[in-house]
Amino acid sequence: MHKSAYLAALLYAFIIGFSFLFVKLALAAAGPLDLLAHRFTVAFCAALIPLLCGWVKIGIRAKDVLLILPLALFYPMMFFGFQAFGLVYTSSSEAGIIQASIPILTMLLASYFLKERFSRRQFFFTVLSAAGVAFIFLMKSAGVSSTNVKGAVLILLSALSSAGYSVLARKMTKRFSSLELTYVITAAGFVFFNGIAVFGHMADGTLTDFFAPFRACCHRLRHPFYQTTLYQKLKLRKSACLIIWPHW
């Protein structure tokens, strides 16, 4: 049980770490709100597939959604919101360093709100890892501009939101399954970020810009360079398969 939990936590950290890089790259094609809206549209549609096909079943009522909404406020709304805007002003590596403070923040919040007790060994290694993060960040902070500080504060608020989510989710999982919580917070993120992004574009009269990243993606896929590169990759992969399986 503990090994599975540790493996899930490690996988979560791995995905979050790479998300900084991908979000930083995607911000070159879309604004933070548009990026979050499209991100949760894809996530929500993907989550609907097993539900509509009957592969999974959830028993969520309207009053249950209201109980879970405070959890969705911390994650994904505040967590991803602060993260996306923070990455506008700071690098993905610096964001990853700051996000490494989540365990110590979670420990502090859990000890205060949940009255959880931690062993001296757990506390020592958590503080040690946080101190290492702080040291690396301070070593990189020479000549840091106010823009970088703004980004660091936003990423730190994102980390604090994640810690708050972890503490609140600990209580929620006693009443709802992980699958039910996942569907509700994904749907909340889809409605929240799409609502803000679309309303902002409508107010500015730039609703067509909301779909600009998709047009740019289609344009790149039609570009001869990308088609040639894709063809070369497919040809190389087929050649590799022929070497391994000559009769393929």
Side-chain angles (χ1 to χ4, degrees):
M1 181 65 180
H2 290 292
K3 289 183 178 180
S4 299
Y6 290 145
L7 182 61
L10 183 62
L11 181 61
Y12 168 81
F14 182 80
I15 294 172
I16 291 296
F18 271 97
S19 73
F20 291 136
L21 175 61
F22 297 142
V23 169
K24 190 67 177 178
L25 293 172
L27 284 171
L33 287 176
D34 290 352
L35 175 60
L36 289 170
H38 299 320
R39 186 175 180 178
F40 275 90
T41 297
V42 174
F44 182 67
C45 291
L48 278 181
I49 294 175
L51 188 63
L52 295 176
C53 292
W55 299 336
V56 297
K57 295 185 182 295
I58 57 173
I60 292 291
R61 298 169 294 179
K63 64 178 183 179
D64 294 331
V65 173
L66 294 177
L67 291 174
I68 300 174
L69 280 181
L71 183 67
L73 177 64
F74 283 102
Y75 185 101
M77 298 177 187
M78 291 172 62
F79 174 77
F80 285 109
F82 287 132
Q83 181 195 103
F85 280 97
L87 284 170
V88 174
Y89 305 106
T90 189
S91 67
S92 58
S93 59
E94 289 174 338
I97 291 171
I98 299 171
Q99 285 277 319
S101 63
I102 291 178
I104 187 67
L105 294 174
T106 303
M107 178 180 287
L108 293 173
L109 291 178
S111 63
Y112 182 80
F113 290 103
L114 302 180
K115 309 303 180 184
E116 291 186 356
R117 295 293 177 264
F118 302 93
S119 66
R120 293 182 177 179
R121 183 179 178 182
Q122 289 176 316
F123 183 78
F124 172 76
F125 283 107
T126 302
V127 172
L128 183 64
S129 63
V133 169
F135 176 75
I136 294 173
F137 186 70
L138 288 174
M139 293 297 291
K140 290 172 63 67
S141 64
V144 170
S145 64
S146 58
T147 302
N148 295 106
V149 173
K150 183 178 181 180
V153 171
L154 289 171
I155 297 297
L156 184 61
L157 289 174
S158 174
L160 186 60
S161 301
S162 179
Y165 162 81
S166 299
V167 172
L168 188 57
R170 199 84 56 86
K171 299 180 69 175
M172 288 289 185
T173 50
K174 296 178 180 179
R175 182 167 182 176
F176 305 102
S177 68
S178 299
L179 191 63
E180 291 171 339
L181 292 176
T182 300
Y183 269 95
V184 173
I185 64 177
T186 302
F190 167 74
V191 173
F192 179 76
F193 290 120
N194 274 280
I196 292 181
V198 170
F199 179 79
H201 280 293
M202 290 178 64
D204 296 335
T206 58
L207 188 58
T208 55
D209 292 345
F210 180 68
F211 304 99
F214 296 103
R215 292 197 298 269
C217 180
C218 293
H219 175 72
R220 288 186 177 184
L221 290 176
R222 289 196 301 267
H223 196 280
F225 171 77
Y226 288 94
Q227 291 178 355
T228 304
T229 304
L230 180 61
Y231 172 75
Q232 290 174 345
K233 287 182 177 180
L234 290 175
K235 188 176 180 180
L236 182 63
R237 182 171 296 180
K238 185 174 181 179
S239 300
C241 291
L242 288 172
I243 293 173
I244 299 172
W245 297 289
H247 300 290
W248 182 71

